[in-house]
Amino acid sequence: MIPTATAVPAAVVDLLVAVRPSLAGVALTGAESLTGDLGFDSLDLVSLANEVRARNPRVDLRAWIADTMESEVDSVASLAAALSAAEENDNG
């Protein structure tokens, strides 16, 4: 299932801005493609995964990155959903 556009959690915006400071102040809907709309490249995705890992060592984005490469769905909403699921698994 493809996540639909929703309000983007501030923590996700903070992660994106940490990798791409030019996104500060940009209103995100969740529907944006990280690679197509926001201009992330493979190095940015690695930086994003490293930033997530630095903030929460138990959360690993490798599965999400692999899924997005296969499905070509790399929306901000799909990232937020992956992070939320990982954190729920970590807490539960």
Side-chain angles (χ1 to χ4, degrees):
M1 173 162 71
I2 298 171
T4 57
T6 59
V8 179
V12 174
V13 173
D14 290 345
L15 286 167
L16 297 174
V17 169
V19 175
R20 278 275 169 122
S22 62
L23 294 175
V26 173
L28 299 173
T29 67
E32 299 85 3
S33 163
L34 270 69
T35 55
D37 299 323
L38 302 181
F40 278 58
D41 60 22
S42 58
L43 294 176
D44 292 326
L45 293 175
V46 170
S47 294
L48 178 63
N50 289 339
E51 186 68 28
V52 167
R53 180 75 60 143
R55 293 179 187 203
N56 186 342
R58 292 184 225 163
V59 175
D60 188 351
L61 281 186
R62 287 182 292 184
W64 176 80
I65 290 172
D67 288 345
T68 62
M69 294 176 99
E70 196 170 296
S71 68
E72 297 183 13
V73 176
D74 66 348
S75 69
V76 173
S78 72
L79 171 63
L83 290 171
S84 178
E87 289 174 2
E88 282 180 21
N89 289 339
D90 188 40
N91 294 329

